[in-house]
Amino acid sequence: MLAQVAVLVAGKHILISDTLTDSKIYPGTVHTLQVYVPDQYTGEEPACLLVGLDGVLCNAPTVIDTLIVQGKMPVTIGVFLQPGVIKDATGTVVRYNRSNEFDRISPDFAEFLETEVLPEVQTLSDGKGHAIRISKHTEDHMIFGLSSGGIAAFMAAWHRPDLFSRVFSGVGTFVSMRGGHEVPLLVRKGEPRALKVCLQDGSADAWNPLFGSWWEGNQMLASALDFAGYTTKYDWSDSGHNARRATEIFPWVMEWMWQGWPADIVPGATQNDLFASILVPDSEWEALDAPVKMPGSWGNMVYYPDMSLGVKVAKGSNCLNQVVVDDGRNMYEQPFYWLHSFDNSLLEIGPMEFDGDGNLWVVTNAGIQICDQNGRVRGIVTLPNPGKHTTWKSIKIDNNAVILVDDAQHFYSRPFRVKAPVGGTRPASQGQG
């Protein structure tokens, strides 16, 4: 619950100080925040949104004031959030939750913002009798942060481009703390997102080399973003791990971020060869009005089109085992398909199916992971209804379409340039790669 405690008048905006408790996602935490409301806000129309992590950084309120007056960004509500702490009965902090919230690469933090922070912010008023109203359109939403806040901002937008479409990460912690070093590979293999991304870092950035090089991590992410076709801008300098350079460039970063608003941000063309061959431009999952006949169950295994190979989940692992099927016998079983997970956790692995080229489509809570014949994930397709926890019961690879059904018998279809498997036929070999 947010409890309004003070309203501070400062220049052409007000800052409302609040406290968030009773989190379901981060139990026991206390988060403090400040809500920025510009003088131009009247409450008559929902405003755009800027989420800033680690509180007020980069002189953001003054910058926003100036750009709104200049007509370079829309009327915007700012939510400047501090990471959570847990206190004992005496008020002593017994856990700092910043790294646990910010450095993890799971969708949890985005869910926290969507389901706990933003709804409560909109229960407040601006001190003038105007209720805080925030637009629901992703094109109207931006998030930014520095260091661990930088990776948190990026991952919130990457997981939920329907929630944030603009993201600025300064000296972002894309290193091996809680999986940050894996972000570039997820960007390369992930379906392109409709995001506008700015990264800032300096060659002297090495907060703690134990975890890796911040400079190299940001360079690797930039390379991945360019490979995957994102709309990007970078600021590289000789600066170190601090807020100085991000504060200097924040005005032009904000101006660039909001250029073209309110037009939609669209994903670019990826250089991922699998996606280049199977994605249909501008396609999305659509709910079907009528049920579709789905593949029958083969027990605990799914079989290659010619029944020469079988695949099953390896218990306690994010690998799938492959077996050779010879004269009805299962032989030479070994871990073979290597899947990606978020947050150092076991995947929720659902239905699987081969397409006509021998690629294995595996439905997981990290997306539909498409593996080549040699067991390597080549692409990860987003699922219907991002942010919703759904149990998927079956997948069907049709000619030029993929169909999913969940445990509530809701059917979804999306066009892909893909071939249905043909029983009794062995797909052409992809070689040893």
Side-chain angles (χ1 to χ4, degrees):
M1 180 178 68
L2 277 169
Q4 185 167 327
V5 296
V7 175
L8 304 177
V9 178
K12 296 181 180 179
H13 62 263
I14 61 173
L15 289 174
I16 307 168
S17 297
D18 293 274
T19 302
L20 173 62
T21 59
D22 302 327
S23 173
K24 301 291 191 300
I25 297 173
Y26 304 116
T29 53
V30 176
H31 292 78
T32 59
L33 56 89
Q34 290 184 296
V35 179
Y36 160 95
V37 185
D39 189 55
Q40 294 84 355
Y41 179 74
T42 65
E44 295 178 2
E45 298 289 338
C48 291
L49 170 69
L50 171 68
V51 172
L53 304 181
D54 283 316
V56 176
L57 296 174
C58 299
N59 200 21
T62 300
V63 172
I64 300 170
D65 283 343
T66 302
L67 294 179
I68 290 176
V69 169
Q70 293 175 345
K72 295 179 179 178
M73 68 177 290
V75 174
T76 300
I77 298 294
V79 178
F80 298 102
L81 178 72
Q82 293 284 5
V85 296
I86 296 179
K87 301 179 181 180
D88 64 14
T90 68
T92 302
V93 175
V94 294
R95 179 195 296 168
Y96 291 99
N97 218 43
R98 182 174 184 264
S99 180
N100 190 43
E101 295 174 14
F102 286 2
D103 291 319
R104 288 167 57 186
I105 62 172
S106 77
D108 289 356
F109 187 67
E111 183 180 359
F112 172 64
L113 294 174
E114 179 188 31
T115 63
E116 298 189 4
V117 176
L118 297 181
E120 293 294 345
V121 167
Q122 293 177 93
T123 69
L124 303 176
S125 64
D126 67 354
K128 302 177 185 178
H130 305 138
I132 301 298
R133 301 174 61 198
I134 296 173
S135 166
K136 297 184 183 300
H137 300 297
T138 182
E139 292 79 11
D140 298 342
H141 295 181
M142 177 185 163
I143 184 169
F144 87 97
L146 308 182
S147 189
S148 293
I151 187 173
F154 179 81
M155 293 312 299
W158 188 83
H159 280 298
R160 296 296 304 280
D162 61 315
L163 188 60
F164 297 102
S165 64
R166 308 169 196 272
V167 56
F168 171 42
S169 169
V171 295
T173 305
F174 300 99
V175 297
S176 57
M177 283 189 180
R178 297 176 184 261
H181 60 295
E182 296 183 343
V183 175
L185 75 86
L186 295 172
V187 169
R188 288 177 179 274
K189 295 186 178 185
E191 188 173 354
R193 271 68 164 165
L195 296 179
K196 198 172 188 181
V197 182
C198 179
L199 302 181
Q200 173 271 322
D201 201 15
S203 57
D205 183 5
W207 177 73
N208 188 333
L210 167 69
F211 298 109
S213 168
W214 270 247
W215 170 249
E216 290 178 1
N218 277 272
Q219 297 288 309
M220 291 289 287
L221 178 56
S223 173
L225 290 168
D226 291 341
F227 172 86
Y230 285 68
T231 301
T232 57
K233 182 174 284 290
Y234 308 122
D235 180 80
W236 309 130
S237 66
D238 60 359
S239 60
H241 196 80
N242 54 58
R244 187 178 302 115
R245 181 59 181 169
T247 301
E248 290 175 353
I249 67 173
F250 194 70
W252 69 253
V253 169
M254 292 293 288
E255 186 174 345
W256 176 77
M257 278 289 173
W258 293 98
Q259 283 176 358
W261 178 86
D264 291 350
I265 296 171
V266 297
T270 178
Q271 297 177 61
N272 182 320
D273 55 356
L274 174 71
F275 279 146
S277 67
I278 69 170
L279 290 183
V280 176
D282 302 320
S283 68
E284 296 180 352
W285 292 101
E286 294 185 359
L288 299 179
D289 295 329
V292 175
K293 184 177 180 181
M294 302 296 284
S297 173
W298 290 91
N300 67 344
M301 278 205 291
V302 61
Y303 289 91
Y304 212 55
D306 67 349
M307 303 295 290
S308 62
L309 299 167
V311 179
K312 64 180 182 180
V313 175
K315 187 176 181 180
S317 169
N318 286 330
C319 287
L320 302 175
N321 285 359
Q322 186 189 75
V323 298
V324 175
V325 181
D326 184 22
D327 195 23
R329 296 174 299 161
N330 295 338
M331 304 186 302
Y332 313 124
E333 179 175 341
Q334 59 180 300
F336 191 78
Y337 293 93
W338 197 94
L339 304 178
H340 296 292
S341 68
F342 304 130
D343 219 23
N344 195 31
S345 60
L346 281 177
L347 286 167
E348 298 173 16
I349 300 176
M352 301 177 280
E353 182 67 285
F354 284 100
D355 64 23
D357 291 316
N359 298 313
L360 181 66
W361 295 55
V362 187
V363 183
T364 76
N365 59 318
I368 303 176
Q369 307 198 34
I370 308 174
C371 304
D372 62 19
Q373 293 177 3
N374 292 306
R376 303 165 298 193
V377 174
R378 304 295 288 268
I380 305 175
V381 174
T382 55
L383 290 163
N385 302 324
K388 301 293 190 297
H389 300 287
T390 303
T391 300
W392 300 101
K393 303 301 292 184
S394 185
I395 180 172
K396 181 178 183 179
I397 310 295
D398 222 338
N399 285 320
N400 299 315
V402 173
I403 301 171
L404 291 173
V405 61
D406 64 19
D407 57 351
Q409 293 299 301
H410 296 138
F411 288 79
Y412 300 87
S413 179
R414 181 175 170 184
F416 288 92
R417 291 190 288 262
V418 65
K419 296 184 294 185
V422 179
T425 301
R426 184 171 183 81
S429 174
Q430 297 173 357
Q432 55 185 346

